[in-house]
């Protein structure tokens, strides 16, 4: 897995923990980072998340006080700061799902629960779970607080080749399969 900077167009870091082809990668979300770090992070990571939450609240208040105009930063009057994901997730033909710290490169979570190639991964809008799918026909819902599987769903009779969570955070999940079907799942 290679992490490139789109600004500098240079390689930032390479992650080599997989033993076979990597089929899926995704960045964590701000909420997922907060949930994971609150329960499993270092003191420096927890301080960063608390500072970010404080800045977000200040920006929200500033926006309300300025009658809904764009929120500004205390430092440079720029628009709301863009969040930089703290983790990257990858999965592949070694049947593993690995979550790494983007900055240090250390493995934060390694999960070996699938019985076949991992094909998809996505964080829920709440940030509490990571959903994965694989050629074993399963959806696995990983609880980021406990680092354990909270749900195991037999999604398709054949390979689950992809998944997608609703882009606006509605509790809906799509899966696609080698059996040519697409299924819409409610998230509970």
């Amino acid at each position: 897995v290679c992490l490139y900077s789109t600004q500098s167009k240079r390689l930032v870091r390479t992650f080599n923990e997989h033993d076979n082809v990597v089929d899926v990668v995704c960045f964590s979300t701000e909420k997922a980072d907060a949930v994971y770090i609150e329960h499993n992070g270092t003191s420096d990571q927890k301080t960063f998340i608390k500072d970010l939450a404080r800045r977000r609240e200040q920006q929200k208040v500033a926006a309300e006080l300025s009658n809904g105009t764009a929120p500004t930063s205390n430092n440079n009057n720029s628009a709301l700061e863009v969040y930089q994901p703290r983790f990257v997730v990858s999965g592949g033909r070694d049947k593993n799902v690995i979550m790494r710290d983007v900055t240090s490169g250390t493995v934060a979570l390694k999960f070996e629960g699938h019985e076949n190639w991992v094909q998809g991964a996505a964080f829920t809008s709440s940030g509490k779970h990571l959903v994965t799918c694989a050629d074993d026909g399963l959806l696995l819902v990983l609880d980021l607080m406990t680092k354990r599987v909270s749900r195991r769903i037999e999604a398709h009779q054949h390979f689950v080749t992809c998944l997608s969570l609703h882009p606006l955070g509605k509790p809906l999940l799509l899966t696609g399969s080698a059996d040519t079907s697409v299924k819409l799942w409610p998230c509970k």
Side-chain angles (χ1 to χ4, degrees):
V1 176
C2 296
L3 178 64
Y4 287 92
S5 167
T6 56
Q7 291 178 338
S8 69
K9 298 180 182 168
R10 295 183 187 264
L11 178 66
V12 175
R13 183 177 302 281
T14 302
F15 305 109
N16 293 314
E17 285 83 14
H18 286 283
D19 297 332
N20 208 317
V21 174
V22 174
D23 289 312
V24 62
V25 293
C26 71
F27 282 107
S28 59
T29 64
E30 187 172 338
K31 286 184 180 180
D33 289 354
V35 168
Y36 181 82
I37 289 170
E38 179 183 344
H39 295 278
N40 303 291
T42 65
S43 60
D44 287 345
Q45 289 173 327
K46 290 177 183 180
T47 299
F48 171 81
I49 292 296
K50 286 178 185 174
D51 289 346
L52 178 66
R54 182 184 43 76
R55 289 193 309 273
R56 291 280 194 235
E57 187 59 32
Q58 289 171 343
Q59 291 169 338
K60 182 179 172 185
V61 170
E64 291 171 359
L65 292 175
S66 62
N67 295 323
T69 58
T72 59
S73 168
N74 292 341
N75 299 337
N76 59 11
N77 292 333
S78 63
L80 184 66
E81 65 185 281
V82 175
Y83 182 73
Q84 300 295 322
R86 299 288 297 202
F87 300 100
V88 62
V89 169
S90 58
R93 296 182 184 183
D94 60 3
K95 307 172 193 172
N96 296 325
V97 176
I98 301 173
M99 186 168 90
R100 296 171 200 80
D101 185 297
V102 171
T103 306
S104 69
T106 58
V107 173
L109 171 69
K110 184 173 182 179
F111 177 72
E112 302 172 349
H114 281 291
E115 298 168 10
N116 208 330
W117 299 353
V118 178
Q119 298 289 355
F123 290 91
T124 61
S125 61
S126 70
K128 294 179 181 178
H129 299 96
L130 173 66
V131 182
T132 63
C133 68
D135 285 352
D136 54 12
L138 298 175
L139 284 175
L140 296 181
V141 181
L142 306 173
D143 185 312
L144 293 178
M145 293 178 276
T146 64
K147 298 183 181 181
R148 294 188 172 178
V149 174
S150 62
R151 293 197 67 190
R152 177 185 164 102
I153 301 165
E154 293 183 23
H156 291 269
Q157 294 297 317
H158 211 297
F159 305 151
V160 183
T161 56
C162 57
L163 66 82
S164 180
L165 287 156
H166 194 280
L168 300 177
K170 292 185 179 181
L172 297 172
L173 170 74
L174 285 170
T175 58
S177 173
D179 65 12
T180 71
S181 68
V182 173
K183 293 184 178 181
L184 178 64
W185 302 84
C187 299
K188 297 178 183 179

